[in-house]
Amino acid sequence: MQPTRLLYGALLAALVLAPLAGAYPVFVLKVLCFALFACAFNLLIGFTGLLSFGHAAFFGGAGYVTGHALKVWGVTPEIGLLLGTGAGALLGLGMGALAIRREGIYFSMITLALAQMLFFFCLQAPFTGGEDGLQGVPRGELFGVLSLADDMVLYYVALVIVVLAYAFIARIVHSPFGQILRAIRENEPRAISLGYDTKRFKLLAFVLSAALAGLAGSLKVLVMGFETLTDVHWTMSGLVILMTLVGGLGTLIGPAIGALVIITLENKLGEIGHTLASWTGIEAFAALGESVTTVTGAIFVVCVLAFRRGIMGELIHRLPTWRAPRPRSTKTLNAS
């Protein structure tokens, strides 16, 4: 069995057993939501070569749609998740249709500008709650039968959704469509010369990435029970870029590892600091909880300087047995 399959199996087993081992289900679910968000973003930047600064629009925008549908319309959770995912896809279609007309930094700036437009819309729209956000979003009953009020029930339902979404991303990456995306990333002029409509493929990749980011945002609202402007702010787009780079750009599992590292630091850094202070007697460690952004920035600098491929990227590079077999994209493109 390949080491990567063993890793996936071990991770899945750990996730299944995590709540039973004493892990707080809501915290693990939050990590899973951001892991899915990072993997969705990686589908665009890591496998298509498009750097979006506006992915917070899909994550937060879908969250607002799902939260409003659950709280005001009283729909069931599965309908709310579908509405949020559809909203992310529609936003991606609109933003992508405009952004892919340009390349490089101009593409990135267009996505940032459009995302900020959505941020100001959410700030002023009455149904979003403005600066207060949406509060008290109910979890409801799945298919009108299974109550999600219990954290454990919600955990395993959400885990199934995240695993299926990740499997869908993996299927996209390893499909002929995914190989074309890689070809566009590596050499777009050559892909064009072989007859591929690269703009159409890039738009489809953008929409798929936006839909999956929307699913992650919708799931987060269902788990946390609220939605705020933080999720549609440009800093959220920066955070998902950081997760992807720390975990490993262009790797399947890397962005999820990066999400685990960043979210754990944001939520547990204070506890880690107090533990280090008690072990070493150095009181300065106790103040780490107040310096989350500083520590996160330092980790990013270290990764850029010492681990340019990210955590998983370095592991795959240094362990030859972990390397995937040579892709068939060249043969596929030449045959076309």
Side-chain angles (χ1 to χ4, degrees):
M1 183 177 290
Q2 294 181 356
T4 51
R5 292 186 178 180
L6 289 174
L7 175 63
Y8 291 150
L11 286 175
L12 182 58
L15 289 172
V16 170
L17 297 175
L20 304 177
Y24 183 41
V26 174
F27 171 72
V28 181
L29 284 176
K30 183 179 179 181
V31 172
L32 287 176
C33 291
F34 278 99
L36 177 57
F37 183 29
C39 289
F41 176 74
N42 185 52
L43 179 63
L44 189 66
I45 184 175
F47 296 100
T48 315
L50 299 176
L51 174 58
S52 168
F53 283 153
H55 254 54
F58 316 128
F59 184 73
Y64 273 115
V65 170
T66 298
H68 183 77
L70 291 172
K71 183 177 181 180
V72 179
W73 297 345
V75 302
T76 53
E78 70 278 3
I79 299 299
L81 292 175
L82 288 174
L83 289 173
T85 305
L90 287 175
L91 284 171
L93 179 62
M95 290 178 60
L98 293 173
I100 63 168
R101 298 171 183 268
R102 294 293 181 266
E103 298 179 357
I105 190 64
Y106 302 104
F107 170 87
S108 302
M109 289 297 101
I110 290 173
T111 58
L112 176 61
L114 293 173
Q116 283 302 98
M117 289 173 63
L118 181 67
F119 168 80
F120 288 113
F121 171 79
C122 292
L123 177 63
Q124 299 177 7
F127 74 92
T128 62
E131 294 183 353
D132 296 328
L134 285 175
Q135 305 293 332
V137 177
R139 292 178 177 178
E141 296 181 344
L142 191 68
F143 301 111
V145 177
L146 185 62
S147 175
L148 300 181
D150 189 318
D151 288 345
M152 291 293 286
V153 174
L154 176 63
Y155 178 85
Y156 287 107
V157 169
L159 178 60
V160 170
I161 294 173
V162 171
V163 169
L164 290 176
Y166 180 81
F168 178 61
I169 293 174
R171 183 68 188 92
I172 292 173
V173 169
H174 292 111
S175 68
F177 171 72
Q179 300 302 327
I180 295 171
L181 294 182
R182 290 174 185 265
I184 292 172
R185 180 195 64 187
E186 297 296 333
N187 194 333
E188 185 174 354
R190 183 167 183 262
I192 294 174
S193 69
L194 292 170
Y196 290 101
D197 186 351
T198 57
K199 287 188 176 180
R200 182 165 60 90
F201 282 102
K202 288 193 291 186
L203 178 58
L204 182 54
F206 197 96
V207 172
L208 288 171
S209 177
L212 290 164
L215 175 60
S218 300
L219 199 57
K220 177 178 175 289
V221 172
L222 188 65
V223 170
M224 306 303 294
F226 61 86
E227 179 64 33
T228 64
L229 289 171
T230 303
D231 288 345
V232 289
H233 196 254
W234 67 267
T235 52
M236 183 59 69
S237 297
L239 187 65
V240 74
I241 294 173
L242 177 61
M243 292 174 184
T244 306
L245 292 178
V246 169
L249 187 68
T251 63
L252 278 173
I253 198 66
I257 302 298
L260 173 63
V261 171
I262 301 302
I263 299 302
T264 301
L265 284 176
E266 285 189 347
N267 289 268
K268 304 294 183 180
L269 189 58
E271 297 178 16
I272 295 172
H274 285 292
T275 302
L276 289 175
S278 64
W279 286 354
T280 62
I282 302 175
E283 293 299 325
F285 283 125
L288 283 177
E290 302 173 2
S291 309
V292 175
T293 54
T294 303
V295 174
T296 304
I299 290 175
F300 175 67
V301 171
V302 170
C303 283
V304 169
L305 294 178
F307 305 99
R308 298 191 65 179
R309 298 180 181 87
I311 297 172
M312 284 304 300
E314 288 294 334
L315 284 174
I316 293 171
H317 179 73
R318 295 177 185 276
L319 300 175
T321 56
W322 283 34
R323 296 179 187 175
R326 188 177 182 85
R328 294 177 295 175
S329 57
T330 303
K331 295 181 180 179
T332 302
L333 290 177
N334 287 336
S336 301

